[in-house]
Every structure is written in C-alpha cells, then in structure tokens.
Amino acid sequence: MPHVPLHRSSPARGGLRAPALLLLGALAGLLLLASPRAHAVASFARQTGAACADCHIGSYGPALTPYGMRFKLAGYTDSDGNGRKIPVSGQIVAARSMPARGDSTSQISELDLYLAGRISEHVGGYAKLASNNTGKDKFDTRLTEFDVRFAGSTFKLGGKDARIGVTVNNNPGAQDPIGVLPAASSLGPASAYAGSTSILNSSALSRRTVGTSVYATFDRDWYGELGTYHSMSRSWQDRLGFPVAGDPGKLSDTGYLRLAYMRDFKRHFFSAGFTALSTRQRRPRGTGPSNDIDDLGYDLTYQFLGDREHVLSLSYVNIYERRRYGDPLIGAVDPTRVPLRRGWIRDQSLGLHYAFRQRYGIRVAHMINTGSADPARYVPYGVPDTTSNLISLYWTPFGREDSYTSQANLRLSATWFRFDKFNGASKRVFGTPTTDADDLNQFQLAASVMF
C-alpha cells in the first residue's frame, strides 16, 4: 500500500475552511493503497526467464523474495542469455471503489508503460510512465518512477564476496533492496496533512527529486548505501507532468544513509535495517528561512519461504523525524495560536503478507502516525495522530512455472481500508459533527493486468 499523504493543504494555508476538500483528498489517496508502485514487471521475467513468483511474494508484488532482492542489487542485469528482449511492459488497472461516504465509482483507474530491462552487462533499470484517471475518463500522465543502476562485478574483500554499485532514482527509499521502507513497500501511515508525516513517508520528495547513491554489499549479508537528493526545478516538474503547486521547494545539504543486515537461510529470511535522511527544505523557493528535517528509522523483516507452498512475510518499520522550523506559519486560522519552532513525527507500520502457492494471498497492515502537540499546525485538536488498517485478499492465477504463463500476470483483489483515528480524533475529526474517522473507510474491488 503506498503511503497516503492525503492532501497537500495544511492549516497554514487552508485551516478549517475546506474540510470537504480534505475528505475528498483522503478518499482519493486511499485509492493508491490498492495500486502499489512496484509490480512484477513482465519484461524482467522475459529477460531472466524466471517466473514473476520467483522475485515477488504473491507473484505480483510489491514484496520481494531474496531472489528478487539479489536481482535488484545486481542492477536488473541478470539474463537467461537467450538474446536481447524487448524491454517494454504495460499495466492496466480497473477498480470499483465504494467509500463509506460518497458515491461509488467504477473506472479504468491507471494505464502504465514500463521501460525496464538490461542495458549492458553492468547497467540496467526501469522507468514508469503512468496515466492516472482523474475523473470522467480524463488521464493525467506523469513519469512517476525510475531507478537506473550500475552494478560492478563481484570481487573478493577479506576472502568474502563484495560488490559496489550506483543507483540514480527519484524517490528516497524506493531503491531499497529489502523493500520495507514506505516508498518501496507501499505501506505507510495516512494523515490529514502532508506536513504531518515523516519526509520518508510523504509525497513531498517522491517523484519530484533526483538522487544518486553509492551502495555496496559484503558477504551477501551486509548492505550499505550513501547518497544525496536534489529537488527538480519547477520547469522539469512541469515537463514530467507534475503540477508546480506541489513543488517541495529547494533542498540543500540532503544526505541519505542506509545500513542493513540481510540473511538468507533458503527456507527463511531475516533482515534488520537502519535508515537516516537529513535535509534543509526551503519552501517556497527563494532566499527565505528553511526547515531542518532529520529522519532516523529502523526496520525488521522476517520471511518464511519453505518450499514456496506457504510463504509468510512479517515487517515492522519505525521512523522518527525531528524538525526545526525556520519558516513562519502563514495564514493560521487562529492568530493567537503560536506555532512551535520544533517538533517531531513518528510513523510506524506493521505488515503481514501470506501467500498460498503464490496464487492466493492476504495482506494485513496496521499503521500509526503520531506527532508532538502543536495547536497552530494541527487544527483543531493540536496533534496529527492517525491510526489506520488495511486488509486485502487477492488471487493471481498466472506468474508461476506451473501456470498458463509465467511472464505475465493478473491480480484480482478485494481491499478494505479502515480508520480508528484521523487528524487527532475518532469523532468530529475536523472539529465539526459532520465527519468521523470511520467515514473515511472504503472497500475496493480491483483488477490489475501486467504484460
């Protein structure tokens, strides 16, 4: 489930003047939950000769098996050696969404084109061009994802295998090989305001930045990555299909660090990771004051793989963010409420994914967003606290060696989204009696085809 920053309006600019817009933004954001960013790209399967189920739990993604992790670390370059394959894939997503409040909709929600494959012996990657239905069959096309890698050959270091590589991508955390960080796993807490989730779980940086990292593996068990990110210019954001109103501003002194221990026991897999992201964000662009943001996070993952008849994955992610605000809160609803100059946010997600014969599966997630009290920034209750849950049942008939095709796939899913708390409360979430947290609940039926 993609993290769900539900609307970019904030109390600083909108306050309580548009609770209806926040509600609509919430419901629209929830649609992303059933459309994970990373799928079992069919052109990779054709390139390697492997089935989708070899790389992905549930044969469709986004969760990776240890084999899929190694393919990613090798720069998407592994091949069956049977000549070059056309590095193009497509995806069509159709959904019927039934919110607790509002009208149900049935539509082709997404049309995607992937350029994905091996470029040379050491270079490979993918880019995704997505057309999302914005309503009334009008599609908004954007370059939403890319990850291009150079992966050097393995060499000996202290008698152990080692590898060094470089990744260029547009979403901090999406390049992670374990795939548990919000940008890669699609699991992350929702919130009323984009500014009330950690920057690793927010849309503020994803897709509007360009980053370069150097990564290394040692003895197959240890992974390290160090890199930096810069926000794209407004003109480039516009060229790629993103409205400039969502510009994250100018980023400076941005550093990204990832350390992880990954152990593949064949029938079992375990990992423990640490992540850090630090940046200075100036918004809007210019010479004004900036906000200093520091993220520190850790994650734990366990997979039971067995003989692949029963596959179980458990993950936990905890991200703590410290903030030092430099810009004033402009347009506050109540001028007597003075915004704090320091604050913190904590995002947590606990996920379970079970697949039977890589054909039938269930995903369950519990997500918590909490933060320091700030009555000016978080109206009306002074805290951003949101607690949400996801339950998804799916069927993937293809993508395995014993299926009709192992290199294309279909997923039929039924997903329920549920909120215990939203915007700091369970009832009257916008300070009025018209909206409760459970009004944001939604049920969705979806069909996704990858070819």
Side-chain angles (χ1 to χ4, degrees), residues 124-349:
Y126 75 92
K128 177 183 176 182
L129 191 67
S131 290
N132 293 289
N133 196 332
T134 58
K136 298 182 179 180
D137 292 328
K138 293 183 179 180
F139 286 83
D140 186 359
T141 302
R142 302 175 180 179
L143 178 64
T144 58
E145 301 174 42
F146 64 83
D147 181 15
V148 180
R149 293 174 180 252
F150 166 82
S153 300
T154 57
F155 60 94
K156 293 295 183 179
L157 182 64
K160 305 291 186 179
D161 287 341
R163 183 198 296 271
I164 296 177
V166 177
T167 169
V168 179
N169 61 83
N170 68 337
N171 195 353
Q175 78 278 22
D176 179 52
I178 303 173
V180 294
L181 298 179
S185 70
S186 72
L187 285 177
S191 67
Y193 306 113
S196 61
T197 55
S198 65
I199 204 163
L200 278 171
N201 181 48
S202 168
S203 64
L205 297 190
S206 66
R207 306 173 179 180
R208 297 173 182 265
T209 60
V210 177
T212 303
S213 297
V214 176
Y215 66 90
T217 59
F218 176 72
D219 195 24
R220 293 180 177 265
D221 295 339
W222 296 96
Y223 174 79
E225 181 181 345
L226 182 64
T228 186
Y229 283 85
H230 299 277
S231 56
M232 297 179 186
S233 66
R234 288 187 174 184
S235 60
W236 267 107
Q237 292 179 48
D238 182 60
R239 290 189 185 101
L240 296 178
F242 295 97
V244 295
D247 176 27
K250 183 179 180 181
L251 303 179
S252 59
D253 302 326
T254 302
Y256 176 84
L257 172 68
R258 176 72 164 151
L259 300 171
Y261 174 76
M262 307 180 295
R263 188 65 185 270
D264 183 6
F265 298 96
K266 304 304 181 183
R267 293 175 60 88
H268 306 268
F269 171 84
F270 170 79
S271 71
F274 168 80
T275 308
L277 176 67
S278 179
T279 189
R280 177 164 292 176
Q281 184 181 36
R282 182 174 290 113
R283 187 173 53 194
R285 295 173 184 263
T287 58
S290 60
N291 300 326
D292 293 333
I293 301 172
D294 300 308
D295 278 15
L296 296 174
Y298 70 90
D299 53 270
L300 302 170
T301 302
Y302 168 76
Q303 292 181 4
F304 171 77
L305 301 165
D307 59 4
R308 301 304 194 271
E309 182 175 19
H310 302 279
V311 176
L312 175 68
S313 177
L314 298 171
S315 63
Y316 174 69
V317 179
N318 188 318
I319 300 172
Y320 173 82
E321 179 171 285
R322 182 181 61 182
R323 300 173 175 178
R324 294 175 295 279
Y325 298 104
D327 60 343
L329 190 62
I330 302 172
V333 176
D334 186 349
T336 65
R337 296 180 177 181
V338 179
L340 302 181
R341 289 296 183 178
R342 295 178 180 268
W344 59 267
I345 289 292
R346 186 182 299 276
D347 289 336
Q348 300 177 75
S349 62

Side-chain angles (χ1 to χ4, degrees), residues 37-54:
R37 292 175 178 169
H39 299 283
V41 181
S43 60
F44 284 148
R46 292 190 288 270
Q47 170 183 305
T48 61
C52 299
D54 292 340

Side-chain angles (χ1 to χ4, degrees), residues 27-68:
L27 297 177
L30 286 172
L31 295 178
L32 297 174
L33 298 171
S35 181
R37 292 175 178 169
H39 299 283
V41 181
S43 60
F44 284 148
R46 292 190 288 270
Q47 170 183 305
T48 61
C52 299
D54 292 340
C55 283
H56 293 273
I57 296 176
S59 303
Y60 204 88
L64 291 172
T65 64
Y67 178 86

